[in-house]
Amino acid sequence: MIVLNSSDGATFEVEESVAVQSQTIKHMIEDNCADTSIPLPNVNGVTLARVLEYIKKHAEAKDDEEGLKSFDAEFVKVDQASLFEIILAANYLDIKGLLDLTCQTVADQIKDLTVEEVRAIFNIMNDFTPEEEAKLRNDHAWAFE
Amino acid sequence: MDISTAGGLLFLLNEDLLTRIYSFLSGDSSDKKSFRATCKTFYRVDSLQRTHLRILRPEFLPQLLSKFPCLNSLDFSGCPRIDDGALAVLLRNGSVPFWATKLRRAVLSRSCGLGYYGLDILVKSCPVLEIIDVSYCCTFGDLEASAISCAANLRDLRLDKCLGVTDVGLAKIAVGCGRLEKLSLKWCLEITDIGIDLLSKKCSNLKQLDVSYLKVTNEALRSISRISKLEVLAMMRCGMVDDVGLRYLGKGCPLLQVLDISRCDKLSSTSIVSVIKGHNGLIELHASYCFFELHLTPYCLSLELKNIKTLTLDGARIAHSSFQLISTSCKFLVEIGLGKCKGVTDNGILQLVSGCINLKMLNLTCCGDITDMAITGIAESCQNLVCLKLECCNLLTEKSLYSLGSFSYLLEELDLTDCSGVTDLGLGYLSRCSKLVCLKLGLCTNISDKGISYIASCCTKTCELDLYRCSGVGDDALASLSVGCKKLKKLNLSYCNKITDRGMKFLGHIEVLSDLEIRGLLNITSEGLTAVAAGCKRLAELDIKHCENIDDSGFWALAHYSRNLRQQINLSNCAIRDVGLCMVMGNLTRLQDAKLVNLINVTVNGFELALRACCVRLKKVKLLTSLRFHLSQEIVEMLAARGCRVRWD
């Protein structure tokens, strides 16, 4: 069993065979840095719990394609803040499947939206100057698709 | 972490992660466009990662190209008129530009202004060009083919409808482009057996070949059968090929997976046998409208067709024994097309679905003999049913829809056009199929607002709804749709005469509506059109032919609000006047196709002005023939020079 420490001090136990889905953890184990516990200063407790849920499910139900698909679909039904936290965690822990799933989810959220809607959903400020915006609008109307 | 920080959460993600998200955006250009215009960080990600560009105007190309370092695919088919000169300017400014050295894919379909000179410059400047699409450049001939043949790395070439290409041109391409893997010669009517023979000898890597509509004979098939890596062969309407030719094919092309022999009328059903034997890798077989009768004997099917997933047998008479054979041999069958087939009975269908339980798509268009029993059998056996086409199956009643509603939870597409047995009660049962995306109820005169309200309340994923000539449908149906079907993109309400402006106002609440057909609605006026134009901001295609009570104020609203109207508009037989037409054609800057027949209130002058206003970007326009003699020579020439096709009705 491997022990993981989140940034806010929570500890989690997980089987080594499950934990090695994270390339980062896998390398740490191989480099013998995992004697007592592995510190993960970039991931908080709540997010780490979620990530572990994902890798546990994917380890135990490896061949059940349909089951995993529906699990994944439910897994990403979280609020935006949590979704981005999971993306960052999956990136740091180098878990390709989770990273692809979450990034695809964000991409799907952008699907079919107009510019204003994208900004609204992700709370993004428009930092173009009016001239730049006009040029962009022109480009999109006249120059290319 | 403070969620409300200006700039938002997205900037917690570094550019690598944003790039990864960008890579998952669908190929559809509008998503990437919105992404790009959101903020500077996204703009930079898009600029750095973008590989494909669809140009609308070649003049902008040089400055655009400097912004996108990863660009390797260009699509010029949206440009009004790209010609040799334009390509020369792009590619010959001193030395070859950097982007040209990386260009992999060039789409130039319908670029009729292009010729040998331009193609030559393109091919010589872009050494890594792998994909060229010059389909529908009808004037292209052997000279242009010889220019293309210099692209030594070419893998994918489309020459559909390049009418001037003969065996000589094909020979040059075969010799010059030895790495060719995909080739389409559809409609290149001058090509004969000789060209195909040379092609088969020189291009041994060919995987996909389309020789549809060519006047080739059995000899060509003898040559094609020698192409050992061929996987996909399309030979629709090759009217001179008969069973002998298919026998050659049966002995060759061991890797064949997809075969389309639709409309080859000299073939008999025994020819299928010769192809199937020895080709147990066959996955798709399209044999629509080939044979009069389909006779499949037991020995030919047992081993060979077991991997087949798609079978299209439209138009043939099918014996009951054939259903039995397909059901026992083709366990992996996913799609079957039996449109307009004779001999399709309840027993046949029940036999079929008892064995082929993996069926996802069934086309039973015009199989008029089938009853509720067949549909119940399909629903109970085929749990994965996704698409069912039942146009003109008049014996069906609510019982069928009850079965579908009870068992077919994955059903997405259902075509019940002209099925007189469809009633409100039936729609109520059907609404249990909550994953329905596309529903066609054209000519179903027995349904009313109540039936539509059942669908609207439960089938929230509906994107496409066809209610053509459903005379019982009125404003209340639109009210329920506007509340329940928020994802509705395509709607056809033509000739549903009960609809008035009140209904139109409800339509204005469906924001994603992009394709609307409302022909012949005599009770709607400008008020209604204004409501739709103002509310449906994504409207791209509009057909209001014969809506004779809409006057100019409606069209002014259209011109003002529907800036996105991009694909086409059909205003034929409307009460629009000169000013209205001018405003519409002038202001809808993205319009590409317009049908303007029988506009009795528009004068010749009105047409002149309107056409002048939009000739720069219009690609297709339909006008009354008599107008041809009244329009000035200047405007007709201008339209032609800009690459606009005029259809005279």
Short mmCIF file of all heavy atoms in Angstrom, two decimals, chain A residues 69-117:
data_model
loop_
_atom_site.label_atom_id
_atom_site.label_comp_id
_atom_site.label_asym_id
_atom_site.label_seq_id
_atom_site.Cartn_x
_atom_site.Cartn_y
_atom_site.Cartn_z
N LYS A 69 -17.52 3.90 -19.25
CA LYS A 69 -18.03 5.07 -19.97
C LYS A 69 -19.04 5.83 -19.12
O LYS A 69 -19.02 7.05 -19.04
CB LYS A 69 -18.69 4.64 -21.30
CG LYS A 69 -17.83 4.93 -22.51
CD LYS A 69 -18.56 5.15 -23.81
CE LYS A 69 -19.39 4.00 -24.26
NZ LYS A 69 -19.66 3.99 -25.70
N SER A 70 -19.96 5.07 -18.52
CA SER A 70 -20.98 5.77 -17.73
C SER A 70 -20.38 6.35 -16.46
O SER A 70 -20.77 7.43 -16.01
CB SER A 70 -22.17 4.87 -17.40
OG SER A 70 -21.74 3.59 -17.10
N PHE A 71 -19.36 5.66 -15.91
CA PHE A 71 -18.68 6.21 -14.73
C PHE A 71 -18.03 7.53 -15.08
O PHE A 71 -18.16 8.53 -14.36
CB PHE A 71 -17.63 5.21 -14.21
CG PHE A 71 -16.74 5.78 -13.14
CD1 PHE A 71 -17.17 5.84 -11.83
CD2 PHE A 71 -15.48 6.29 -13.45
CE1 PHE A 71 -16.35 6.38 -10.83
CE2 PHE A 71 -14.67 6.84 -12.46
CZ PHE A 71 -15.10 6.88 -11.15
N ASP A 72 -17.30 7.53 -16.21
CA ASP A 72 -16.63 8.76 -16.65
C ASP A 72 -17.62 9.89 -16.85
O ASP A 72 -17.37 11.03 -16.46
CB ASP A 72 -15.87 8.51 -17.97
CG ASP A 72 -14.61 7.69 -17.76
OD1 ASP A 72 -14.24 7.45 -16.59
OD2 ASP A 72 -14.00 7.28 -18.76
N ALA A 73 -18.76 9.57 -17.47
CA ALA A 73 -19.75 10.62 -17.75
C ALA A 73 -20.25 11.23 -16.45
O ALA A 73 -20.42 12.45 -16.35
CB ALA A 73 -20.91 10.03 -18.54
N GLU A 74 -20.47 10.40 -15.44
CA GLU A 74 -20.93 10.92 -14.16
C GLU A 74 -19.81 11.66 -13.43
O GLU A 74 -20.04 12.66 -12.76
CB GLU A 74 -21.43 9.78 -13.27
CG GLU A 74 -22.77 9.21 -13.67
CD GLU A 74 -23.85 10.27 -13.69
OE1 GLU A 74 -24.03 10.97 -12.68
OE2 GLU A 74 -24.52 10.42 -14.74
N PHE A 75 -18.59 11.14 -13.60
CA PHE A 75 -17.44 11.68 -12.85
C PHE A 75 -17.22 13.15 -13.16
O PHE A 75 -16.86 13.93 -12.29
CB PHE A 75 -16.19 10.86 -13.21
CG PHE A 75 -14.97 11.25 -12.43
CD1 PHE A 75 -14.80 10.80 -11.14
CD2 PHE A 75 -14.00 12.06 -12.99
CE1 PHE A 75 -13.67 11.15 -10.41
CE2 PHE A 75 -12.88 12.42 -12.27
CZ PHE A 75 -12.71 11.97 -10.97
N VAL A 76 -17.43 13.53 -14.44
CA VAL A 76 -17.13 14.90 -14.81
C VAL A 76 -18.29 15.86 -14.56
O VAL A 76 -18.22 17.03 -14.92
CB VAL A 76 -16.69 15.02 -16.29
CG1 VAL A 76 -15.32 14.41 -16.47
CG2 VAL A 76 -17.70 14.42 -17.20
N LYS A 77 -19.34 15.38 -13.94
CA LYS A 77 -20.46 16.29 -13.66
C LYS A 77 -20.19 17.02 -12.36
O LYS A 77 -20.85 16.79 -11.35
CB LYS A 77 -21.77 15.49 -13.57
CG LYS A 77 -22.28 15.05 -14.92
CD LYS A 77 -23.67 14.45 -14.83
CE LYS A 77 -24.09 13.93 -16.20
NZ LYS A 77 -25.16 12.96 -16.13
N VAL A 78 -19.19 17.85 -12.38
CA VAL A 78 -18.86 18.64 -11.19
C VAL A 78 -18.84 20.10 -11.58
O VAL A 78 -18.87 20.43 -12.76
CB VAL A 78 -17.48 18.24 -10.62
CG1 VAL A 78 -17.52 16.84 -10.06
CG2 VAL A 78 -16.41 18.37 -11.67
N ASP A 79 -18.73 20.97 -10.57
CA ASP A 79 -18.69 22.40 -10.89
C ASP A 79 -17.34 22.73 -11.51
O ASP A 79 -16.37 21.99 -11.43
CB ASP A 79 -18.91 23.24 -9.63
CG ASP A 79 -17.83 22.99 -8.60
OD1 ASP A 79 -17.88 21.93 -7.95
OD2 ASP A 79 -16.92 23.83 -8.46
N GLN A 80 -17.30 23.89 -12.12
CA GLN A 80 -16.13 24.29 -12.89
C GLN A 80 -14.85 24.31 -12.07
O GLN A 80 -13.81 23.81 -12.50
CB GLN A 80 -16.37 25.69 -13.42
CG GLN A 80 -16.26 25.74 -14.90
CD GLN A 80 -16.42 27.14 -15.35
OE1 GLN A 80 -15.73 28.03 -14.90
NE2 GLN A 80 -17.35 27.33 -16.26
N ALA A 81 -14.94 24.89 -10.87
CA ALA A 81 -13.74 25.02 -10.04
C ALA A 81 -13.14 23.64 -9.80
O ALA A 81 -11.94 23.43 -9.97
CB ALA A 81 -14.10 25.69 -8.72
N SER A 82 -13.99 22.68 -9.42
CA SER A 82 -13.50 21.33 -9.17
C SER A 82 -12.92 20.72 -10.44
O SER A 82 -11.87 20.05 -10.39
CB SER A 82 -14.62 20.45 -8.66
OG SER A 82 -15.29 21.07 -7.61
N LEU A 83 -13.56 20.97 -11.58
CA LEU A 83 -13.08 20.39 -12.83
C LEU A 83 -11.67 20.87 -13.13
O LEU A 83 -10.79 20.09 -13.49
CB LEU A 83 -14.03 20.77 -13.97
CG LEU A 83 -13.77 20.06 -15.31
CD1 LEU A 83 -13.93 18.55 -15.15
CD2 LEU A 83 -14.73 20.57 -16.37
N PHE A 84 -11.44 22.17 -12.95
CA PHE A 84 -10.10 22.69 -13.23
C PHE A 84 -9.08 22.17 -12.25
O PHE A 84 -7.93 21.89 -12.59
CB PHE A 84 -10.12 24.21 -13.25
CG PHE A 84 -10.88 24.77 -14.42
CD1 PHE A 84 -11.67 25.89 -14.27
CD2 PHE A 84 -10.83 24.16 -15.65
CE1 PHE A 84 -12.38 26.40 -15.35
CE2 PHE A 84 -11.53 24.66 -16.72
CZ PHE A 84 -12.32 25.78 -16.57
N GLU A 85 -9.52 22.01 -10.97
CA GLU A 85 -8.60 21.42 -9.99
C GLU A 85 -8.20 20.02 -10.41
O GLU A 85 -7.05 19.63 -10.28
CB GLU A 85 -9.29 21.38 -8.61
CG GLU A 85 -9.46 22.72 -7.94
CD GLU A 85 -8.17 23.23 -7.34
OE1 GLU A 85 -7.11 22.58 -7.48
OE2 GLU A 85 -8.20 24.30 -6.72
N ILE A 86 -9.20 19.26 -10.91
CA ILE A 86 -8.89 17.88 -11.33
C ILE A 86 -7.94 17.89 -12.52
O ILE A 86 -7.03 17.06 -12.61
CB ILE A 86 -10.18 17.10 -11.65
CG1 ILE A 86 -11.07 16.99 -10.41
CG2 ILE A 86 -9.86 15.70 -12.15
CD1 ILE A 86 -12.42 16.36 -10.66
N ILE A 87 -8.15 18.84 -13.44
CA ILE A 87 -7.25 18.93 -14.60
C ILE A 87 -5.82 19.17 -14.13
O ILE A 87 -4.87 18.50 -14.55
CB ILE A 87 -7.68 20.05 -15.57
CG1 ILE A 87 -9.00 19.72 -16.23
CG2 ILE A 87 -6.61 20.27 -16.63
CD1 ILE A 87 -9.46 20.74 -17.23
N LEU A 88 -5.68 20.13 -13.23
CA LEU A 88 -4.33 20.44 -12.74
C LEU A 88 -3.72 19.24 -12.04
O LEU A 88 -2.55 18.93 -12.22
CB LEU A 88 -4.40 21.64 -11.79
CG LEU A 88 -4.65 22.98 -12.47
CD1 LEU A 88 -4.99 24.04 -11.45
CD2 LEU A 88 -3.43 23.40 -13.28
N ALA A 89 -4.56 18.55 -11.23
CA ALA A 89 -4.04 17.38 -10.52
C ALA A 89 -3.64 16.29 -11.49
O ALA A 89 -2.57 15.68 -11.36
CB ALA A 89 -5.10 16.87 -9.54
N ALA A 90 -4.51 16.04 -12.48
CA ALA A 90 -4.21 14.98 -13.46
C ALA A 90 -2.95 15.32 -14.24
O ALA A 90 -2.18 14.43 -14.60
CB ALA A 90 -5.40 14.81 -14.40
N ASN A 91 -2.73 16.59 -14.49
CA ASN A 91 -1.53 17.02 -15.19
C ASN A 91 -0.30 16.80 -14.33
O ASN A 91 0.70 16.24 -14.79
CB ASN A 91 -1.67 18.50 -15.56
CG ASN A 91 -0.56 18.96 -16.49
OD1 ASN A 91 -0.10 18.21 -17.32
ND2 ASN A 91 -0.13 20.19 -16.32
N TYR A 92 -0.41 17.20 -13.07
CA TYR A 92 0.73 17.05 -12.17
C TYR A 92 1.04 15.58 -11.93
O TYR A 92 2.18 15.17 -11.92
CB TYR A 92 0.42 17.77 -10.85
CG TYR A 92 1.43 17.52 -9.76
CD1 TYR A 92 2.74 17.96 -9.89
CD2 TYR A 92 1.08 16.83 -8.60
CE1 TYR A 92 3.67 17.73 -8.90
CE2 TYR A 92 2.01 16.60 -7.61
CZ TYR A 92 3.30 17.05 -7.75
OH TYR A 92 4.22 16.82 -6.76
N LEU A 93 -0.01 14.77 -11.75
CA LEU A 93 0.20 13.36 -11.47
C LEU A 93 0.40 12.55 -12.74
O LEU A 93 0.64 11.36 -12.68
CB LEU A 93 -1.02 12.80 -10.70
CG LEU A 93 -1.20 13.33 -9.29
CD1 LEU A 93 -2.56 12.90 -8.73
CD2 LEU A 93 -0.09 12.82 -8.39
N ASP A 94 0.24 13.21 -13.89
CA ASP A 94 0.46 12.57 -15.19
C ASP A 94 -0.41 11.32 -15.35
O ASP A 94 0.10 10.20 -15.49
CB ASP A 94 1.96 12.23 -15.35
CG ASP A 94 2.31 11.98 -16.81
OD1 ASP A 94 1.39 11.99 -17.65
OD2 ASP A 94 3.48 11.75 -17.10
N ILE A 95 -1.72 11.52 -15.30
CA ILE A 95 -2.66 10.42 -15.53
C ILE A 95 -3.36 10.74 -16.84
O ILE A 95 -4.32 11.51 -16.90
CB ILE A 95 -3.71 10.32 -14.40
CG1 ILE A 95 -3.02 10.22 -13.04
CG2 ILE A 95 -4.62 9.12 -14.62
CD1 ILE A 95 -3.96 10.31 -11.87
N LYS A 96 -2.88 10.11 -17.93
CA LYS A 96 -3.33 10.52 -19.26
C LYS A 96 -4.83 10.40 -19.45
O LYS A 96 -5.49 11.30 -19.95
CB LYS A 96 -2.60 9.68 -20.32
CG LYS A 96 -2.95 10.13 -21.74
CD LYS A 96 -2.08 9.47 -22.78
CE LYS A 96 -2.32 10.05 -24.16
NZ LYS A 96 -3.70 10.13 -24.58
N GLY A 97 -5.39 9.27 -19.03
CA GLY A 97 -6.83 9.04 -19.25
C GLY A 97 -7.68 10.11 -18.60
O GLY A 97 -8.60 10.66 -19.21
N LEU A 98 -7.34 10.44 -17.37
CA LEU A 98 -8.11 11.46 -16.64
C LEU A 98 -7.92 12.82 -17.27
O LEU A 98 -8.87 13.60 -17.39
CB LEU A 98 -7.67 11.47 -15.17
CG LEU A 98 -8.42 12.44 -14.26
CD1 LEU A 98 -9.92 12.17 -14.31
CD2 LEU A 98 -7.91 12.33 -12.84
N LEU A 99 -6.68 13.11 -17.70
CA LEU A 99 -6.41 14.40 -18.31
C LEU A 99 -7.21 14.56 -19.60
O LEU A 99 -7.85 15.59 -19.84
CB LEU A 99 -4.91 14.54 -18.58
CG LEU A 99 -4.42 15.93 -18.97
CD1 LEU A 99 -4.80 16.95 -17.91
CD2 LEU A 99 -2.92 15.92 -19.17
N ASP A 100 -7.19 13.51 -20.43
CA ASP A 100 -7.95 13.59 -21.69
C ASP A 100 -9.43 13.74 -21.42
O ASP A 100 -10.12 14.51 -22.07
CB ASP A 100 -7.71 12.31 -22.52
CG ASP A 100 -6.35 12.31 -23.19
OD1 ASP A 100 -5.73 13.38 -23.24
OD2 ASP A 100 -5.93 11.24 -23.66
N LEU A 101 -9.94 12.98 -20.44
CA LEU A 101 -11.38 13.03 -20.13
C LEU A 101 -11.80 14.44 -19.72
O LEU A 101 -12.77 15.00 -20.21
CB LEU A 101 -11.70 12.03 -19.02
CG LEU A 101 -13.11 12.09 -18.42
CD1 LEU A 101 -14.13 11.66 -19.45
CD2 LEU A 101 -13.21 11.22 -17.18
N THR A 102 -11.02 15.03 -18.80
CA THR A 102 -11.41 16.34 -18.29
C THR A 102 -11.24 17.42 -19.35
O THR A 102 -12.08 18.33 -19.45
CB THR A 102 -10.59 16.69 -17.05
OG1 THR A 102 -9.23 16.30 -17.26
CG2 THR A 102 -11.12 15.98 -15.83
N CYS A 103 -10.17 17.35 -20.13
CA CYS A 103 -9.99 18.36 -21.17
C CYS A 103 -11.07 18.25 -22.23
O CYS A 103 -11.57 19.26 -22.74
CB CYS A 103 -8.60 18.22 -21.82
SG CYS A 103 -7.29 18.77 -20.73
N GLN A 104 -11.45 17.02 -22.55
CA GLN A 104 -12.54 16.84 -23.52
C GLN A 104 -13.82 17.44 -22.97
O GLN A 104 -14.60 18.04 -23.71
CB GLN A 104 -12.72 15.34 -23.78
CG GLN A 104 -13.89 15.00 -24.68
CD GLN A 104 -13.57 15.20 -26.14
OE1 GLN A 104 -12.77 14.49 -26.72
NE2 GLN A 104 -14.20 16.19 -26.74
N THR A 105 -14.02 17.29 -21.68
CA THR A 105 -15.23 17.86 -21.06
C THR A 105 -15.26 19.37 -21.22
O THR A 105 -16.29 19.94 -21.57
CB THR A 105 -15.29 17.51 -19.56
OG1 THR A 105 -15.09 16.11 -19.41
CG2 THR A 105 -16.61 17.91 -18.95
N VAL A 106 -14.14 20.00 -20.96
CA VAL A 106 -14.10 21.46 -21.12
C VAL A 106 -14.35 21.83 -22.57
O VAL A 106 -15.13 22.75 -22.88
CB VAL A 106 -12.74 22.02 -20.66
CG1 VAL A 106 -12.69 23.52 -20.89
CG2 VAL A 106 -12.50 21.73 -19.19
N ALA A 107 -13.71 21.08 -23.49
CA ALA A 107 -13.90 21.37 -24.92
C ALA A 107 -15.37 21.21 -25.29
O ALA A 107 -15.92 22.01 -26.05
CB ALA A 107 -13.04 20.44 -25.76
N ASP A 108 -16.02 20.20 -24.74
CA ASP A 108 -17.44 19.99 -25.03
C ASP A 108 -18.29 21.14 -24.50
O ASP A 108 -19.33 21.46 -25.06
CB ASP A 108 -17.93 18.67 -24.42
CG ASP A 108 -17.38 17.47 -25.15
OD1 ASP A 108 -16.91 17.63 -26.29
OD2 ASP A 108 -17.41 16.37 -24.57
N GLN A 109 -17.84 21.75 -23.41
CA GLN A 109 -18.61 22.86 -22.87
C GLN A 109 -18.53 24.07 -23.79
O GLN A 109 -19.42 24.91 -23.81
CB GLN A 109 -18.08 23.25 -21.48
CG GLN A 109 -18.51 22.26 -20.42
CD GLN A 109 -17.87 22.57 -19.07
OE1 GLN A 109 -17.15 23.54 -18.94
NE2 GLN A 109 -18.15 21.74 -18.10
N ILE A 110 -17.44 24.15 -24.54
CA ILE A 110 -17.27 25.30 -25.43
C ILE A 110 -18.04 25.08 -26.73
O ILE A 110 -18.31 26.02 -27.48
CB ILE A 110 -15.77 25.50 -25.75
CG1 ILE A 110 -15.00 25.81 -24.47
CG2 ILE A 110 -15.55 26.61 -26.75
CD1 ILE A 110 -13.53 26.05 -24.68
N LYS A 111 -18.43 23.83 -26.97
CA LYS A 111 -19.06 23.48 -28.24
C LYS A 111 -20.27 24.35 -28.52
O LYS A 111 -21.13 24.54 -27.67
CB LYS A 111 -19.49 22.01 -28.17
CG LYS A 111 -19.95 21.45 -29.49
CD LYS A 111 -20.15 19.95 -29.37
CE LYS A 111 -20.88 19.37 -30.55
NZ LYS A 111 -20.40 19.82 -31.85
N ASP A 112 -20.35 24.85 -29.72
CA ASP A 112 -21.53 25.59 -30.17
C ASP A 112 -21.81 26.88 -29.42
O ASP A 112 -22.91 27.40 -29.50
CB ASP A 112 -22.78 24.70 -30.05
CG ASP A 112 -22.87 23.75 -31.24
OD1 ASP A 112 -22.15 23.97 -32.22
OD2 ASP A 112 -23.64 22.79 -31.15
N LEU A 113 -20.86 27.38 -28.68
CA LEU A 113 -21.13 28.63 -27.97
C LEU A 113 -20.61 29.82 -28.78
O LEU A 113 -19.65 29.70 -29.53
CB LEU A 113 -20.42 28.63 -26.61
CG LEU A 113 -20.93 27.64 -25.56
CD1 LEU A 113 -20.18 27.86 -24.26
CD2 LEU A 113 -22.41 27.81 -25.32
N THR A 114 -21.24 30.97 -28.57
CA THR A 114 -20.68 32.19 -29.16
C THR A 114 -19.61 32.72 -28.21
O THR A 114 -19.45 32.23 -27.10
CB THR A 114 -21.76 33.28 -29.29
OG1 THR A 114 -22.21 33.63 -27.98
CG2 THR A 114 -22.92 32.79 -30.13
N VAL A 115 -18.91 33.75 -28.68
CA VAL A 115 -17.80 34.30 -27.91
C VAL A 115 -18.27 34.78 -26.54
O VAL A 115 -17.66 34.49 -25.51
CB VAL A 115 -17.15 35.46 -28.67
CG1 VAL A 115 -16.05 36.09 -27.85
CG2 VAL A 115 -16.60 34.98 -29.99
N GLU A 116 -19.38 35.53 -26.54
CA GLU A 116 -19.88 36.07 -25.27
C GLU A 116 -20.23 34.95 -24.31
O GLU A 116 -19.97 35.03 -23.11
CB GLU A 116 -21.13 36.94 -25.51
CG GLU A 116 -20.87 38.25 -26.22
CD GLU A 116 -20.69 38.07 -27.71
OE1 GLU A 116 -21.10 37.02 -28.25
OE2 GLU A 116 -20.11 38.97 -28.34
N GLU A 117 -20.80 33.87 -24.86
CA GLU A 117 -21.19 32.76 -24.00
C GLU A 117 -19.96 32.07 -23.42
O GLU A 117 -19.96 31.68 -22.26
CB GLU A 117 -22.03 31.75 -24.80
CG GLU A 117 -23.44 32.27 -25.08
CD GLU A 117 -24.15 31.47 -26.16
OE1 GLU A 117 -23.48 30.74 -26.91
OE2 GLU A 117 -25.37 31.60 -26.26
#
